[in-house]
Amino acid sequence: MPTPVAIHHLSRPLALLCLAVERFCLRDLSLRRGSNLLLAVSGGADSTALACIFALLRPRLELKLSALSIDHGLRPEGMADARHAATTCHGLAIPCRIAMADVLRLAHEQKIGIEEAARRARYALLESARTEMGADFILLGHHAEDLSEDILLRLLRGTGWPALGGMLARDDARHLLRPLLHCSPDALKSLVRHMELDWREDASNNDSRFKRNRLRHKILPLLRQENPALESASKKLWQMARWDEEFFESQLAEALAATPPSCGMGGGFPRIILSRELLASLHPALRLRLFHRIVRQFYTMLAQQPHLAPNNGQARADTLFKLETALQEGRGNTYFQLPGGLTAYLQGGSICFAHKKAGPVPNDKPGHTDILD
C-alpha cells in the first residue's frame, strides 16, 4: 500500500491541507506535541482522511497514534467496514482495534431512537478505549459540511446562542477533538485518492428516515444554491460563537467569584441557591446561561446515580425563560419543574435549584405556592 513518507511528497494543495490541519491543532485546539491520540475510524472517506493526515503529521508533532473502529450491529456489512478501516490504519502504521456495539438493545432499554442509541454507544466505546490506551484525546472526522448540518439541526431544535454556532472543535469534558472541522470533504477525498487508498460508503447515510440525512440531501443543497459559500458562512458563525462563549464564561466567572452561590444538602441531595444580589447583578442573557449551567451540573451529578438519572438530560428552554420572566416580575413562592425531578424555587429574588427529594426549601414561608412546568 504506497503511502507518502512526508508531507513534501504530496501535491501543493494537499500539503497545504495537511499544514492547515496542523496549524488548527496547534493554534485553535492547543494540541501539545507528543500527544497520545485515539482516532475514530469507520472506513468512510472522512475518517480515512483523518488517519492519512495524522499519519503524515505524526513525525512533525511527535504523536502517538492508535485507532478504534466500531461495528454498530445495524448493517450486515458493518463488520466488513470495520475490518477495512483496520486494514487501512495498519497500512499507515496505526494500530487499530475493532469494537462491537448492540445499538438495537440499547435503544430498546433506554427507550431512545436508533440514531441517539448509536451515538451513545459509539462515544462510550471510544471513551473506554481512550482510557484503556492512556490517550489524551479522541479524534473525530467531522468536516465543514458536517458543521453546516449541525448548525441547521441545532436551529431546528431551538438551540440558543452561542451553542447555535455548532459543535465544538475541542470538547474537554468528553476528551474530543475535531481537527478537520473546517476542511472541505472534497479536499479530504482528494487526499485519500492521492494516497491510493479507498473507502467504504455507508448506505444508511442515504436513508431518509433519519433527519440528518433529509437535511443533508434535500435542505442543504437548496441553501447552497442560495449561498454557494455556505460553509464559509458557517465557519464565521462558528468562530463568532466561540468568541462570544469565551466572553460569556468570563463574565459569569467574575460574577460568581464576587457573589458565590450557596451550596448545601437536603435529604442527601445537593441544593444550589443563587442569591438575590447575584441575580440582580447579571444581565438576563447571563442569568439564562447561569440557569442552564446549574441544571447541567445537576444532571451530571444525577447521572452517577442510575435510579435518579433523568430520561431527558436537556434543560427545557421554555421553563428557563419562564423562570427568568417570573424573576423580572418579582414573583415569589413559585416552583418550576424540570426534567429528571429537578425543581427551581423562586423566593424573595433568590432561586434555589434542588432535586424534588431534597425536601422543603430552607426558610420557606407558608402560603400559596405556584407550580409551573
Side-chain angles (χ1 to χ4, degrees):
M1 183 182 298
T3 57
V5 296
I7 289 177
H8 66 261
H9 291 161
L10 298 174
S11 65
R12 177 177 171 77
L14 296 180
L16 291 176
L17 169 68
C18 294
L19 293 175
V21 172
E22 178 184 70
R23 186 167 57 252
F24 185 64
C25 287
L26 295 174
R27 183 188 63 190
D28 296 82
L29 305 186
S30 301
L31 181 68
R32 296 191 307 271
R33 296 179 185 274
S35 292
N36 184 352
L37 305 176
L38 172 65
L39 281 61
V41 292
S42 65
D46 310 330
S47 63
T48 301
L50 179 74
C52 291
I53 289 173
F54 278 84
L56 291 163
L57 293 179
R58 176 169 42 196
R60 294 172 59 88
L61 299 180
E62 303 172 358
L63 301 173
K64 180 180 179 181
L65 303 178
S66 57
L68 182 72
S69 189
I70 300 171
D71 176 8
H72 295 81
L74 296 174
R75 299 178 295 114
E77 62 273 21
M79 179 52 71
D81 290 352
R83 288 172 178 160
H84 176 86
T87 299
T88 298
C89 287
H90 290 313
L92 295 168
I94 301 173
C96 180
R97 301 182 185 180
I98 295 176
M100 293 286 298
D102 190 345
V103 171
L104 294 178
R105 180 183 60 80
L106 181 64
H108 175 73
E109 290 179 352
Q110 299 191 6
K111 297 180 174 57
I112 55 178
I114 291 177
E115 272 189 303
E116 176 62 16
R119 188 188 68 83
R120 292 187 187 183
R122 180 165 58 253
Y123 284 117
L125 287 169
L126 285 167
E127 175 58 20
S128 177
R130 184 197 69 81
T131 302
E132 181 181 348
M133 298 175 185
D136 300 302
F137 289 100
I138 298 163
L139 267 59
L140 304 174
H142 295 113
H143 52 62
E145 290 188 4
D146 292 324
L147 177 60
S148 295
E149 290 174 15
D150 188 56
I151 290 173
L152 188 53
L153 281 168
R154 290 170 183 245
L155 178 64
L156 293 176
R157 290 198 300 263
T159 302
W161 184 259
L164 180 60
M167 64 183 78
L168 298 175
R170 174 169 174 151
D171 184 344
D172 286 313
R174 296 191 293 166
H175 308 99
L176 301 178
L177 296 180
R178 297 181 173 95
L180 309 184
L181 199 56
H182 300 316
C183 296
S184 158
D186 290 338
L188 296 176
K189 289 177 180 177
S190 294
L191 174 64
V192 175
R193 293 191 187 100
H194 183 89
M195 295 181 68
E196 299 183 22
L197 298 172
D198 59 358
W199 63 85
R200 308 274 291 194
E201 295 288 353
D202 184 345
S204 66
N205 288 334
N206 296 315
D207 190 337
S208 62
R209 291 177 299 174
F210 300 122
K211 182 186 295 185
R212 182 179 292 275
N213 290 341
R214 293 196 298 272
L215 295 178
R216 177 181 300 169
H217 299 299
K218 296 181 180 181
I219 306 301
L220 282 165
L222 295 177
L223 294 178
R224 292 188 183 102
Q225 286 182 21
E226 299 297 328
N227 180 10
L230 179 65
E231 272 59 56
S232 177
S234 296
K235 178 181 177 180
K236 292 174 185 175
L237 183 67
W238 179 88
Q239 185 61 73
M240 286 189 290
R242 302 288 76 79
W243 287 336
D244 283 357
E245 185 174 37
E246 290 176 6
F247 174 74
F248 287 136
E249 288 300 314
S250 67
Q251 293 294 299
L252 268 182
E254 289 181 13
L256 293 172
T259 314
S262 174
C263 301
M265 299 293 290
F269 296 89
R271 285 196 185 99
I272 298 177
I273 300 175
L274 307 179
S275 69
R276 178 177 184 174
E277 292 73 23
L278 170 62
L279 295 172
S281 71
L282 299 177
H283 186 278
L286 285 175
R287 285 199 294 261
L288 280 172
R289 284 163 177 81
L290 178 57
F291 298 160
H292 188 265
R293 176 194 285 189
I294 296 297
V295 172
R296 196 168 61 238
Q297 288 177 355
F298 267 101
Y299 287 155
T300 299
M301 290 186 290
L302 294 177
Q304 310 305 316
Q305 306 180 57
H307 64 292
L308 294 174
N311 292 327
N312 178 4
Q314 298 292 328
R316 286 187 1 200
D318 58 343
T319 304
L320 298 184
F321 274 111
K322 289 177 182 178
L323 177 59
E324 170 61 27
T325 299
L327 183 66
Q328 291 188 25
E329 292 175 351
R331 296 175 60 183
N333 290 354
T334 305
Y335 277 96
F336 293 82
Q337 296 180 338
L338 290 157
L342 298 183
T343 62
Y345 180 65
L346 175 60
Q347 182 185 58
S350 297
I351 299 174
C352 176
F353 287 90
H355 193 275
K356 63 183 179 182
K357 293 186 178 181
V361 177
N363 302 319
D364 193 10
K365 297 179 181 179
H368 176 68
T369 299
D370 294 327
I371 299 180
L372 301 178
D373 290 326

